[in-house]
Amino acid sequence: MTEKKELILAFESSCDETSVAVIENGQRILSNVIATQIKSHQRFGGVVPEVASRHHVEQITLCTQEALEQAGVTYADLTAVAVTYGPGLVGALLIGVTAAKAIAYAHHLPLVPVNHMAGHIYAARFVKPLEYPLLALLVSGGHTELVYMPAAGQFEIIGDTRDDAAGEAYDKIGRVLGVPYPAGKEIDRLAHLGQDTFNFPRAMLKEDNLDFSFSGLKSAFINTVHHADQIGETLDQADLAASFQASVVEVLVTKTLRAAQSLKVKQLVVAGGVAANQGLREGLAAGIESAGLDFDLIMPPLRLCGDNGAMIGAAAHIALAQNTLADLDLNAVPSLDFPYQNEL
Ligand code: KG4
Ligand code: ZN
């Protein structure tokens, strides 16, 4: 007799991507449909919450149908329904939470609540099995955190940003350079065409803690560009991007490797939208090699770094195994933090 497959239908709608995925046994992506709204938000220079909610409402049933069709499964085949319930925009989160609850109720399926940031970390499970203790560098539009995981399902924030998140800093300096939102990918591309000629500050690099700060760098960058504008000087865009990126990458790499080494972790996972950054990926790999460090570096493929339903399904597999389930009164928690499992 063959064992029944575990099939999780997973929803992600915390920000500006509506995504629905079907995940088999926690590690095989049968479908991962992502409807991005970036074009609708670009002209406002950032995500407009009300616009985001409306798009999610329009997209969620279409994405669900497509995810089931692509995976070749029906509701009757499913084992559980999973959903991001925070952190994120409350109106956006509520669309995913409501859809997941409706399906769980109608089809008598367990409902698995997932923390979006845990989802980003567990995207690494699609690369290889995770081994603990593990350190994750979580870098996205809203977060820049070092998360220590002594075991599956346990999260300890050991470093955090004191002000802007890394992705937020990219998006803010992007505005000054005239790069549309979200600017990270384009600045990363430009950075590879230039040199670090401006020598921007490396904040908190030498301090004996694992926290980050990017607002000083952002101000230094903006002041440099405004000053040049005032005196009618044109600065090289690629050099500006390269100098900004060199500062971000040096601080992230130095502090992350310092933490990974002192905690003697088995694996280092890089997660979140900024994990797609080529400079960061190259910097971490080079830093590990030159220092002869002996832990695994796991960087999910680019399509799994941004927000997606597959990562929520991967996290839900662990939560389901640990019997972390929600009732149908599950609500969105916009400022949800780690640890999350005992808070339900
Ligand atoms: O994780 P994510 O998709 O959404 C949040 O949960 O925030 O991250 C989006 C962030 C944006 O700030 C975007 O500019 C940044 O990730 N990003 C990048 C790159 N690709 C996306 N930042 C730097 N380099 C990239 N290649
Ligand atoms: Zn995210």
Side-chain angles (χ1 to χ4, degrees):
M1 199 178 83
T2 52
E3 221 172 279
K4 197 168 181 292
K5 291 175 195 159
E6 177 199 274
L7 291 173
I8 296 181
L9 180 70
F11 288 88
E12 158 60 38
S13 69
S14 65
C15 191
D16 57 354
E17 258 99 31
T18 317
S19 183
V20 186
V22 178
I23 304 302
E24 182 185 308
N25 297 336
Q27 50 198 7
R28 214 172 134 226
I29 302 175
L30 300 188
S31 61
N32 189 21
V33 177
I34 304 173
T36 179
Q37 320 170 351
I38 283 174
K39 285 212 155 51
S40 301
H41 299 290
Q42 250 165 6
R43 67 196 149 113
F44 302 108
V47 177
V48 183
E50 180 59 22
V51 174
S53 308
R54 284 166 191 266
H55 276 288
H56 287 306
V57 170
E58 282 171 20
Q59 290 297 323
I60 200 116
T61 42
L62 299 171
C63 289
T64 308
Q65 269 166 7
E66 204 176 320
L68 291 169
E69 260 169 46
Q70 277 184 21
V73 303
T74 66
Y75 288 118
D77 301 318
L78 297 176
T79 313
V81 186
V83 63
T84 300
Y85 74 111
L89 302 168
V90 66
L93 288 164
L94 277 171
I95 312 299
V97 168
T98 307
K101 288 202 290 194
I103 293 168
Y105 175 70
H107 299 278
H108 309 287
L109 292 166
L111 178 65
V112 188
V114 175
N115 178 312
H116 178 80
M117 306 315 290
H120 274 302
I121 298 175
Y122 284 124
R125 296 187 68 252
F126 294 119
V127 180
K128 60 159 67 174
L130 298 186
E131 288 177 39
Y132 303 92
L134 170 158
L135 180 70
L137 170 65
L138 258 176
V139 268
S140 72
H143 292 76
T144 301
E145 288 169 352
L146 281 169
V147 182
Y148 178 67
M149 294 182 68
Q154 293 177 21
F155 308 88
E156 209 181 301
I157 299 176
I158 57 167
D160 204 345
T161 180
R162 301 264 175 103
D163 38 59
D164 291 352
E168 188 182 357
Y170 268 93
D171 296 337
K172 284 180 177 165
I173 67 118
R175 261 188 236 179
V176 179
L177 289 184
V179 175
Y181 172 88
K185 192 174 169 193
E186 174 60 11
I187 291 178
D188 189 11
R189 191 190 67 80
L190 275 174
H192 281 80
L193 306 174
Q195 301 291 330
D196 176 11
T197 54
F198 289 92
N199 225 329
F200 289 128
R202 270 76 168 147
M204 305 183 70
L205 193 57
K206 303 228 159 57
E207 286 179 36
D208 194 19
N209 60 46
L210 296 171
D211 286 345
F212 304 98
S213 164
F214 295 106
S215 78
L217 166 63
K218 178 192 67 188
S219 303
F221 184 97
I222 294 173
N223 290 343
T224 303
V225 174
H226 283 172
H227 179 68
D229 279 352
Q230 277 162 2
I231 59 171
E233 197 184 323
T234 310
L235 301 177
D236 187 281
Q237 291 235 333
D239 286 348
L240 278 169
S243 303
F244 173 82
Q245 180 143 309
S247 170
V248 174
V249 169
E250 186 178 336
V251 175
L252 289 176
V253 169
T254 308
K255 292 203 130 172
T256 303
L257 295 188
R258 201 186 285 163
Q261 213 172 352
S262 73
L263 291 163
K264 299 190 170 44
V265 295
K266 293 203 175 121
Q267 293 179 332
L268 171 62
V269 168
V270 197
V274 185
N277 186 276
Q278 290 303 324
L280 179 61
R281 294 167 89 93
E282 289 156 13
L284 283 168
I288 289 172
E289 171 139 11
S290 72
L293 303 176
D294 66 350
F295 46 79
D296 262 355
L297 172 63
I298 311 184
M299 301 188 281
L302 300 194
R303 75 196 151 81
L304 294 177
C305 286
D307 293 347
N308 68 88
M311 70 186 197
I312 303 306
H317 171 77
I318 307 286
L320 192 60
Q322 296 181 339
N323 210 24
T324 305
L325 302 177
D327 293 326
L328 290 174
D329 62 358
L330 177 70
N331 207 346
V333 183
S335 56
L336 182 68
D337 214 340
F338 293 124
Y340 67 107
Q341 296 199 317
N342 301 325
E343 289 172 2
L344 285 166

mmCIF file of all heavy atoms in Angstrom, residues 12 14 116-117 120 140-141 272-273 305-307 311, ligand 2:
data_model
loop_
_atom_site.group_PDB
_atom_site.id
_atom_site.type_symbol
_atom_site.label_atom_id
_atom_site.label_comp_id
_atom_site.label_asym_id
_atom_site.label_seq_id
_atom_site.Cartn_x
_atom_site.Cartn_y
_atom_site.Cartn_z
ATOM 1 N N GLU A 12 -0.477 33.291 0.479
ATOM 2 C CA GLU A 12 0.362 34.426 0.892
ATOM 3 C C GLU A 12 -0.258 35.697 0.305
ATOM 4 O O GLU A 12 -0.440 35.805 -0.912
ATOM 5 C CB GLU A 12 1.792 34.229 0.358
ATOM 6 C CG GLU A 12 2.634 35.487 0.240
ATOM 7 C CD GLU A 12 2.848 36.235 1.560
ATOM 8 O OE1 GLU A 12 3.026 35.577 2.594
ATOM 9 O OE2 GLU A 12 2.821 37.477 1.536
ATOM 10 N N SER A 14 0.442 39.028 2.209
ATOM 11 C CA SER A 14 0.764 40.009 3.257
ATOM 12 C C SER A 14 1.101 41.390 2.722
ATOM 13 O O SER A 14 1.016 42.374 3.430
ATOM 14 C CB SER A 14 1.926 39.493 4.111
ATOM 15 O OG SER A 14 3.093 39.390 3.325
ATOM 16 N N HIS A 116 4.918 35.052 8.276
ATOM 17 C CA HIS A 116 5.527 35.348 6.976
ATOM 18 C C HIS A 116 7.055 35.237 7.008
ATOM 19 O O HIS A 116 7.672 34.716 6.063
ATOM 20 C CB HIS A 116 5.120 36.777 6.576
ATOM 21 C CG HIS A 116 5.684 37.253 5.289
ATOM 22 N ND1 HIS A 116 5.153 36.904 4.067
ATOM 23 C CD2 HIS A 116 6.753 38.044 5.017
ATOM 24 C CE1 HIS A 116 5.866 37.476 3.111
ATOM 25 N NE2 HIS A 116 6.838 38.178 3.650
ATOM 26 N N MET A 117 7.670 35.711 8.087
ATOM 27 C CA MET A 117 9.134 35.702 8.165
ATOM 28 C C MET A 117 9.661 34.273 8.320
ATOM 29 O O MET A 117 10.703 33.923 7.764
ATOM 30 C CB MET A 117 9.630 36.596 9.312
ATOM 31 C CG MET A 117 9.108 38.021 9.259
ATOM 32 S SD MET A 117 9.184 38.785 7.626
ATOM 33 C CE MET A 117 10.922 38.996 7.409
ATOM 34 N N HIS A 120 9.781 32.875 4.891
ATOM 35 C CA HIS A 120 10.990 33.238 4.140
ATOM 36 C C HIS A 120 12.154 32.299 4.496
ATOM 37 O O HIS A 120 12.895 31.853 3.627
ATOM 38 C CB HIS A 120 11.402 34.680 4.434
ATOM 39 C CG HIS A 120 10.715 35.691 3.554
ATOM 40 N ND1 HIS A 120 10.810 35.658 2.177
ATOM 41 C CD2 HIS A 120 9.951 36.771 3.844
ATOM 42 C CE1 HIS A 120 10.125 36.673 1.672
ATOM 43 N NE2 HIS A 120 9.585 37.362 2.651
ATOM 44 N N SER A 140 14.446 41.931 4.085
ATOM 45 C CA SER A 140 13.321 42.187 3.177
ATOM 46 C C SER A 140 13.001 43.673 3.188
ATOM 47 O O SER A 140 13.780 44.482 3.695
ATOM 48 C CB SER A 140 12.112 41.367 3.618
ATOM 49 O OG SER A 140 11.588 41.916 4.798
ATOM 50 N N GLY A 141 11.829 44.023 2.633
ATOM 51 C CA GLY A 141 11.429 45.428 2.609
ATOM 52 C C GLY A 141 11.093 45.952 4.001
ATOM 53 O O GLY A 141 11.193 47.145 4.264
ATOM 54 N N GLY A 272 14.354 36.290 2.328
ATOM 55 C CA GLY A 272 13.671 37.573 2.106
ATOM 56 C C GLY A 272 14.053 38.169 0.764
ATOM 57 O O GLY A 272 14.999 37.715 0.115
ATOM 58 N N GLY A 273 13.310 39.203 0.350
ATOM 59 C CA GLY A 273 13.506 39.796 -0.978
ATOM 60 C C GLY A 273 14.934 40.220 -1.270
ATOM 61 O O GLY A 273 15.434 40.028 -2.386
ATOM 62 N N CYS A 305 12.930 33.882 -3.244
ATOM 63 C CA CYS A 305 13.376 34.902 -2.276
ATOM 64 C C CYS A 305 12.278 35.928 -2.014
ATOM 65 O O CYS A 305 12.061 36.353 -0.894
ATOM 66 C CB CYS A 305 14.629 35.611 -2.791
ATOM 67 S SG CYS A 305 16.102 34.583 -2.690
ATOM 68 N N GLY A 306 11.581 36.350 -3.071
ATOM 69 C CA GLY A 306 10.472 37.297 -2.904
ATOM 70 C C GLY A 306 9.271 36.584 -2.292
ATOM 71 O O GLY A 306 9.314 35.371 -2.051
ATOM 72 N N ASP A 307 8.198 37.326 -2.034
ATOM 73 C CA ASP A 307 7.028 36.728 -1.385
ATOM 74 C C ASP A 307 6.359 35.694 -2.297
ATOM 75 O O ASP A 307 6.118 35.968 -3.474
ATOM 76 C CB ASP A 307 6.016 37.830 -1.037
ATOM 77 C CG ASP A 307 6.562 38.755 0.038
ATOM 78 O OD1 ASP A 307 7.581 38.401 0.662
ATOM 79 O OD2 ASP A 307 5.959 39.822 0.248
ATOM 80 N N MET A 311 6.781 29.097 0.000
ATOM 81 C CA MET A 311 7.519 29.189 1.277
ATOM 82 C C MET A 311 6.558 29.049 2.467
ATOM 83 O O MET A 311 6.933 28.519 3.517
ATOM 84 C CB MET A 311 8.314 30.503 1.349
ATOM 85 C CG MET A 311 7.479 31.753 1.496
ATOM 86 S SD MET A 311 8.482 33.256 1.409
ATOM 87 C CE MET A 311 7.341 34.466 2.134
HETATM 88 ZN ZN ZN B 2 8.438 39.066 2.465
#
